[in-house]
Amino acid sequence: MASKDRILRLKEETRCNILDASLKIVKEGGWDALSMRKIADEIEYTAPIIYEYYSNKGAILLELTRKGFLLLAKQLEEAKAKHRLPAKQLEAMWLAYWDFAFAERELYQVMYGVETSCCEMAKKMPESELPTDLIWDVIVELMLPHVATEDEVCIKYYTFWSVIHGLISINMVNRGNSDETNQEILKLAISGIIKSITG
Amino acid sequence: MASKDRILRLKEETRCNILDASLKIVKEGGWDALSMRKIADEIEYTAPIIYEYYSNKGAILLELTRKGFLLLAKQLEEAKAKHRLPAKQLEAMWLAYWDFAFAERELYQVMYGVETSCCEMAKKMPESELPTDLIWDVIVELMLPHVATEDEVCIKYYTFWSVIHGLISINMVNRGNSDETNQEILKLAISGIIKSITG
DNA sequence: TTAAAAAATTTAACACTGTTAAGTAAATGA
DNA sequence: TCATTTACTTAACAGTGTTAAATTTTTTAA
């Protein structure tokens, strides 16, 4: 029965269409815009049909997450293949990682739990700059007697902030390391940047 | 009319109770568990009453966010006050930042857009370790001829990952820096860590 | 004290969400 | 052609944020 095969192929296609439709909706309106009924609209079915292909909404997110990791891995391999020296490879891979995050912004968000909605919220809130200012001032003082430009301090500040916020995020989203490991990474990173300032 | 004052005081108290109730619910069941009706239950009113105090749910989140920034700033100041040398102050402040993130996990999440729901999702997905493994291998190779232990590579890997994921998150949630600044931070951080490996 | 006005609070409703069960239409097999 | 399976839709439930109307309570004025 070749018709069985045809039907199986159609089913696989619909499974794929659901993922494509989901990603399309998310790219147009963000993760909040994604709903089962909108997906159904997009693939020209009604909502309950989707449950024939994915057990629930979470399973769709999970599948998109998986696709994201595979795509990222592929791009890391390509970046690596362009160089011979490990140092160059490593640099190229992290730059590829960076590019992936913004080229596939929505995938990166679901892969690593980067919130999307609170974007415009934290802005326009003066209190949000309080912690920044406090640390900023100490960095300026640490660089004395050299009078640092805005850009110089900015780079130092964001390097500090990135490594610490990154480590926090990673640990919060998929609690990764042991406490000792975290503390070691933290202290090494902090003292490293401080040394790069004091020379 | 002193009764006016009393009423105003009661109103202010209810405003505060709403925030307290919200945070309690979130601490018990995560951000997904927070709903207007549950808040109303907690303060022993019905849902529409809340709109007399906050224009919508977002305004409540915003107020909690503000409280978070104020509390963080306070703790940073306290950390700073414990030291004289700017280098020691800076270290203490970042460690205080770290402590705040986990002591006030829910506040940190809403302040900086750290997703909460996808926690158990990315786990148990083998593909999620693909990018990690790829980069891990190159780090091992870069450290040759020294044969690195698991822990040594782990620290290097997470330092890389933290600074880059952190910078990505910061830019995604409240798009901060210019492209040039980001690239500069990125390249400096990457080459810095690579140098710390190759010596 | 009582009637009227104002404030406080609740009930009901709307449009949406994910999800399930029941019903209907279409395709398939004998 | 008839029966059975498959495909699909409609209807419903419990939940969400939010608004308007109805109701109760409190305050004010006569």
Side-chain angles (χ1 to χ4, degrees), chain B residues 37-182:
Chain B
R37 286 172 178 84
K38 279 186 205 149
I39 297 172
D41 262 23
E42 196 71 40
I43 63 172
E44 295 181 299
Y45 278 108
T46 50
I49 277 291
I50 304 174
Y51 292 85
E52 306 271 324
Y53 298 89
Y54 296 95
S55 62
N56 51 37
K57 191 181 178 183
I60 297 175
L61 300 196
L62 208 66
E63 201 58 37
L64 286 174
T65 306
R66 191 192 324 279
K67 280 184 77 169
F69 281 118
L70 289 172
L71 184 57
L72 173 57
K74 184 173 146 248
Q75 298 193 2
L76 290 180
E77 275 175 337
E78 288 172 3
K80 181 185 175 185
K82 283 188 182 147
H83 299 85
R84 276 237 165 280
L85 292 176
K88 284 282 171 194
Q89 288 178 333
L90 206 50
E91 185 189 8
M93 288 169 91
W94 283 119
L95 291 178
Y97 184 100
W98 172 273
D99 289 339
F100 170 85
F102 291 98
E104 304 291 341
R105 166 186 283 263
E106 296 78 18
L107 289 183
Y108 193 89
Q109 286 172 344
V110 72
M111 286 161 68
Y112 294 115
V114 181
E115 192 84 54
T116 167
S117 58
C118 75
C119 281
E120 63 271 22
M121 217 170 84
K123 285 195 302 187
K124 285 286 175 188
M125 181 187 305
E127 289 88 348
S128 74
E129 279 161 24
L130 249 119
T132 301
D133 292 346
L134 281 169
I135 290 174
W136 191 283
D137 290 347
V138 181
I139 294 178
V140 170
E141 206 177 340
L142 184 62
M143 294 177 97
L144 288 177
H146 170 65
V147 179
T149 68
E150 188 104 347
D151 279 359
E152 284 175 314
V153 185
C154 184
I155 285 171
K156 294 300 175 187
Y157 172 71
Y158 273 94
T159 308
F160 269 121
W161 191 15
S162 294
V163 65
I164 283 147
H165 173 67
L167 198 57
I168 288 170
S169 299
I170 290 167
N171 274 274
M172 273 195 184
V173 172
N174 42 6
R175 51 181 170 298
N177 307 105
S178 69
D179 284 354
E180 306 93 59
T181 308
N182 279 329

Side-chain angles (χ1 to χ4, degrees), chain A residues 7 16 40 62 64 70 75 86-87 91 102 118 120-121 145 181:
Chain A
I7 286 172
C16 199
L62 209 66
L64 286 175
L70 289 173
Q75 298 192 2
E91 186 190 9
F102 292 98
C118 76
E120 64 272 19
M121 217 171 83
T181 307

Side-chain angles (χ1 to χ4, degrees), chain A residues 157-167, chain B residues 162-163 166-167 170 185:
Chain A
Y157 172 70
Y158 273 94
T159 307
F160 269 121
W161 192 15
S162 294
V163 65
I164 284 148
H165 173 67
L167 198 58
Chain B
S162 294
V163 65
L167 198 57
I170 290 167
I185 295 169

